[in-house]
Amino acid sequence: MARRVEFVDTSILCNLLEVPGKCQDREKVIEELRRKREARDCDLLLPVTAVIETGNHIAQLPDGRMRRTCAERFAGVLRTVVEGNAPWALNEVEWDAAHLSALIEGGSTGSSLVEHACNQLGCGDLNILIERDRYLARTSGVAATVWTLDTLLASYA
């Protein structure tokens, strides 16, 4: 049986960090994370894309105090990743011409970046799929999906 890996989407990270306006499913996400950790049936990877998108959501919060509070929580979570104490590991991705070409071509989705944009799948979501594709290309014996609350992204994951 292949080892299972799940890429943690921005929607999950925002719920866990309790980012205002982006955390309506917080309790469900916390419970699912608890279940995943107890079951130990998959490894969680944090895509670089989710880090960037989450940071952008936090930076766009209108309330300065809430922005600071969320940014401090976010920095704390990122610190746990660096220290190896997080429930997930960072997906280390090389951002190079091959990555950018895969993004433009849409990777394994069968549609290009342009087609996805026209169908409202954002570049960040597509890039998480590209990160997953590139991870699968450099590993063996792994089945990889995306843990997300986004129905359009989930349809490709």
Side-chain angles (χ1 to χ4, degrees), residues 9-30 33 54-55 57-59 61-63 65-75 77 88 149:
D9 179 42
T10 307
S11 61
I12 301 301
L13 200 52
C14 284
N15 271 280
L16 291 171
L17 288 168
E18 207 169 354
V19 176
K22 305 279 183 192
C23 62
Q24 61 275 15
D25 297 302
R26 189 168 195 284
E27 294 307 316
K28 180 175 104 175
V29 169
I30 289 170
L33 178 60
T54 300
H57 289 314
I58 292 169
L61 291 172
D63 181 304
R65 276 184 284 201
M66 188 53 66
R67 196 167 46 245
R68 174 171 288 282
T69 299
C70 284
E72 287 171 348
R73 278 195 305 260
F74 185 45
V77 165
W88 46 69
L149 300 176

Side-chain angles (χ1 to χ4, degrees), residues 8 24 37 45 49-51 57 73-74 82 86 106 110 115 129 141 151:
V8 179
Q24 61 275 15
R37 292 183 79 183
L45 288 178
T49 306
V51 173
H57 289 314
R73 278 195 305 260
F74 185 45
V82 170
E115 291 166 327
L129 297 171
T151 53

Side-chain angles (χ1 to χ4, degrees), residues 3 5-6 10 14 16 33 35 37 50 54-55 57 129 132 135-136 147-148:
R3 179 173 61 93
V5 172
E6 292 185 6
T10 307
C14 284
L16 291 171
L33 178 60
R35 190 204 62 74
R37 292 183 79 183
T54 300
H57 289 314
L129 297 171
R132 181 204 55 193
Y135 176 83
L136 287 170
W147 180 21
T148 183

Side-chain angles (χ1 to χ4, degrees), residues 106-135:
S108 65
T109 67
S111 298
S112 71
L113 180 143
V114 172
E115 291 166 327
H116 282 301
C118 291
N119 292 318
Q120 299 182 314
L121 181 74
C123 191
D125 288 345
L126 180 57
N127 199 66
I128 289 173
L129 297 171
I130 300 305
E131 284 191 55
R132 181 204 55 193
D133 289 351
R134 295 193 79 199
Y135 176 83

Side-chain angles (χ1 to χ4, degrees), residues 31-41:
E31 182 54 38
E32 182 65 12
L33 178 60
R34 186 178 358 258
R35 190 204 62 74
K36 288 176 186 297
R37 292 183 79 183
E38 287 173 2
R40 297 180 185 204
D41 60 353

